[in-house]
Amino acid sequence: MRWEPLSRTKTASIARIALYSREIVEQPGSSLSTPRAGKWWCGGLCLVLPEVSLASAPARSNGIVQKFLGEELTYQIGFWLFNRCGEAKTTFVQTEYQGVYRATLAGRTLGFVDVVLGRYRYSYASYLELSPKGDRLRPLRFTLTKKRIGKESKYSVTFNYSKKQLIFSRVTHNQESHSHQETQPMKEGLIYEDYLTLFYNFRYGCYGPIQRGRTYHLPLHVHKGMSSIDLSIASREEEEKHRKEETNKKGKDFFLRFRVNREDVSSNSGDIEGWLSSDATPVKGTIKDVILFGDLWGELIARKAGAHRKIGRKI
């Protein structure tokens, strides 16, 4: 039997099938909860993929992919008098499926705080692709995972463009396992974003250049009924006021603030403020009113430019 190279469209379609079907069948305790190599269940039908990589040629890329593919940003996390109670890292890599990428923001507690909080871990992960026009990224599946000893919760959103449907799913593992799923129709002509696609699209300039004194009304669809957030860039006067409070002023060119869902950042308010560099790289951010911490801040300590990294794991 002779294998024919698969086109970008076909490999991306297979990736979507895997993502969509996983959303439908994944249940706590099910043998299907952990994907096995090359095998996916689709409404009772088993789709078997070859063990070899499906991408026979480099994925088509435009400016936004070239800019961020392989980038790693590493942040030191602190609060109050603790300058290093945790760490976080963002990554943007190509999956084995041609034209499908994976972006992550993952963090963990360290040292004494790690012990007290039961080895707390969290991660945002988004599978994404280029939009049909190729001028921006669009999400396929977004997952928010929180873990600590004896407890794990996972919240996900699947963006099913073929069925024009958003699928919201929540699974919690504690002493007992619970799951819940609901759907919402996708509207024609709207731009759909999750936290990570918005992170890269905004930095790339998809919503215009960064301007002091401007408020951006940005799409965000990570919860049912939620469709946008407002991100405000401070005026020069307010910016200078906040800059005087910073010990390290390097790279802190634009001061911003916005508000997200409180549960997503374990905050009583959901308010976030921080600094962008002149090239729109987040150099510092503070989540206000975090449960057990108060104001929790993260500051950029290392940046690795894009090197077109690729991962060989299954979606």
Side-chain angles (χ1 to χ4, degrees):
M1 180 177 179
R2 186 168 62 91
W3 289 92
E4 295 291 342
L6 296 177
S7 68
R8 174 182 178 272
T9 301
K10 289 182 178 179
T11 54
S13 296
I14 290 175
R16 290 192 201 97
I17 291 173
L19 289 165
Y20 298 161
S21 60
R22 181 178 180 182
E23 180 67 33
I24 293 170
V25 304
E26 189 174 65
Q27 298 293 338
S30 167
S31 61
L32 303 180
S33 295
T34 304
R36 301 185 183 279
K39 184 178 289 187
W40 299 92
W41 289 87
C42 308
L45 299 177
C46 180
L47 172 65
V48 182
L49 305 180
E51 291 293 333
V52 298
S53 172
L54 294 177
S56 57
R60 178 177 70 89
S61 62
N62 71 348
I64 190 168
V65 171
Q66 292 175 349
K67 180 176 178 66
F68 296 119
L69 190 61
E71 180 191 70
E72 292 183 359
L73 303 176
T74 304
Y75 296 86
Q76 175 179 308
I77 308 297
F79 75 102
W80 196 42
L81 300 178
F82 296 89
N83 289 326
R84 190 174 176 81
C85 68
E87 63 182 11
K89 178 182 288 189
T90 70
T91 64
F92 185 98
V93 297
Q94 180 183 321
T95 70
E96 66 180 85
Y97 294 101
Q98 189 170 328
V100 179
Y101 307 92
R102 186 172 188 263
T104 62
L105 166 60
R108 62 172 183 163
T109 51
L110 297 173
F112 172 74
V113 174
D114 190 44
V115 175
V116 171
L117 294 185
R119 287 169 170 69
Y120 183 68
R121 306 289 184 265
Y122 73 89
S123 67
Y124 293 5
S126 179
Y127 287 95
L128 44 93
E129 65 181 358
L130 285 173
S131 66
K133 292 182 178 180
D135 59 347
R136 65 189 305 117
L137 300 169
R138 72 173 187 176
L140 296 172
R141 189 170 194 261
F142 170 79
T143 302
L144 168 58
T145 305
K146 298 179 183 180
K147 296 181 181 179
R148 63 178 62 188
I149 295 176
K151 185 176 181 179
E152 177 180 353
S153 65
K154 182 176 292 187
Y155 178 81
S156 65
V157 186
T158 299
F159 299 79
N160 193 324
Y161 299 100
S162 61
K163 293 184 177 181
K164 299 187 183 307
Q165 192 175 64
L166 296 176
I167 305 172
F168 303 94
S169 178
R170 184 184 301 275
V171 179
T172 302
H173 301 285
N174 202 339
Q175 294 180 343
E176 297 180 358
S177 295
H178 302 277
S179 64
H180 177 72
Q181 186 177 96
E182 55 186 342
T183 62
Q184 176 179 307
M186 300 176 76
K187 296 181 180 179
E188 194 70 33
L190 285 187
I191 293 175
Y192 286 86
E193 301 268 27
D194 64 29
Y195 284 123
L196 292 171
T197 55
L198 182 57
F199 175 74
Y200 290 105
N201 285 332
F202 182 80
R203 292 175 59 198
Y204 188 64
C206 293
Y207 295 96
I210 299 176
Q211 296 177 344
R212 292 180 176 88
R214 179 179 174 184
T215 295
Y216 299 80
H217 190 64
L218 304 172
L220 183 64
H221 298 82
V222 291
H223 292 282
K224 189 172 183 179
M226 178 182 184
S227 61
S228 65
I229 61 170
D230 289 333
L231 184 150
S232 298
I233 305 295
S235 64
R236 188 175 294 277
E237 292 75 19
E238 183 183 0
E239 175 188 297
E240 289 301 326
K241 176 183 175 182
H242 286 284
R243 184 177 287 111
K244 291 178 181 178
E245 300 172 357
E246 297 293 329
T247 303
N248 178 14
K249 298 175 174 56
K250 184 179 179 181
K252 294 171 181 172
D253 298 305
F254 298 97
F255 186 80
L256 58 82
R257 59 166 56 91
F258 56 97
R259 177 177 293 172
V260 299
N261 181 277
R262 295 179 298 174
E263 181 185 0
D264 294 346
V265 291
S266 301
S267 164
N268 289 316
S269 66
D271 290 337
I272 298 176
E273 60 184 37
W275 291 92
L276 296 177
S277 66
S278 58
D279 66 350
T281 300
V283 294
K284 185 177 182 180
T286 301
I287 305 174
K288 312 292 285 186
D289 308 313
V290 176
I291 298 170
L292 300 180
F293 289 99
D295 293 352
L296 188 69
W297 53 262
E299 187 149 10
L300 183 67
I301 57 173
R303 179 180 182 180
K304 180 180 179 181
H308 289 225
R309 293 178 61 231
K310 181 177 178 180
I311 57 174
R313 58 184 295 181
K314 299 292 188 288
I315 293 178

